[in-house]
Structures are given as structure tokens and as C-alpha cells.
């Protein structure tokens, strides 16, 4: 597939689930959880866990959190993310 989880469009999700033999309504459930309810895929409990895991593998997150660091006075938080196929790192 190649798309990230939030970069995939509805048609890509539907095609993947159809290829896996899933019923059509599953694509709507995935879309609803990710875009309407804005839930992490792991919290989309209307979907079987095995399907959530398979979708997570097929459509990974574009950014992965590597490290979170809070300042001593809790006024600043820094995150280190990795992204892309080369896992380039970005600090925010």
C-alpha cells in the first residue's frame, strides 16, 4: 500500500479490507474510528483486535515517538520523532 494511517484515503482502506475478504462495513468502521471519532486505531474496539493489528501494519503511523522529555519545571516538553522509510529524526 505505502500510505500512512492518516494519509490513506477511504478508497485505499476499502480496497485493502476487500482484498483481505472483510465485509464492506469494516471500511466504514475504520474510517469512522480514525476520522470521525478521532480515536487511535488501538481504541477502535468495534473492530476485532487481529484486524486492528493488521491495519496498523498495513498503514503505519507517519511519525513514531522515540523520546519525550519534560523540563524540570514542567514548562517545556520536547519530543523526538522518527519518520519515513529512512527513519529520519525530528525534534519538536
Amino acid at each position: 500500500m505505502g500510505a500512512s494511517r492518516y494519509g490513506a484515503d477511504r478508497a485505499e482502506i476499502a480496497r485493502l479490507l476487500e482484498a483481505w475478504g472483510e465485509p464492506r462495513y469494516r471500511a466504514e468502521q475504520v474510517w469512522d474510528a480514525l476520522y470521525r471519532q478521532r480515536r487511535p486505531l488501538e481504541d477502535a474496539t468495534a473492530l476485532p483486535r487481529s484486524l486492528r493489528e493488521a491495519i496498523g501494519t498495513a498503514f503505519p503511523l507517519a511519525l513514531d515517538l522515540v523520546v519525550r522529555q519534560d523540563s524540570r519545571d514542567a514548562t517545556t516538553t520536547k519530543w523526538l520523532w522518527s519518520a519515513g522509510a529512512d527513519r529520519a529524526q525530528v525534534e519538536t
Side-chain angles (χ1 to χ4, degrees):
M1 286 266 137
S4 67
R5 188 166 310 165
Y6 294 96
D9 63 25
R10 187 177 259 169
E12 287 176 292
I13 293 169
R15 280 193 301 273
L16 177 67
L17 295 177
E18 181 181 351
W20 289 349
E22 291 292 331
R24 284 186 175 186
Y25 68 86
R26 290 286 189 212
E28 188 60 31
Q29 287 178 316
V30 171
W31 191 261
D32 186 61
L34 295 178
Y35 290 97
R36 285 194 207 112
Q37 297 176 20
R38 297 182 182 179
R39 292 177 177 241
L41 185 58
E42 299 76 26
D43 294 343
T45 56
L47 301 167
R49 178 176 287 151
S50 60
L51 182 57
R52 286 181 275 160
E53 290 170 358
I55 293 167
T57 299
F59 293 118
L61 291 171
L63 297 174
D64 292 316
L65 181 61
V66 177
V67 176
R68 175 188 169 158
Q69 182 179 13
D70 296 314
S71 65
R72 289 182 192 198
D73 63 1
T75 59
T76 305
T77 301
K78 293 191 306 186
W79 292 275
L80 179 63
W81 304 92
S82 65
D86 64 356
R87 305 315 299 163
Q89 293 188 333
V90 178
E91 185 177 287
T92 59

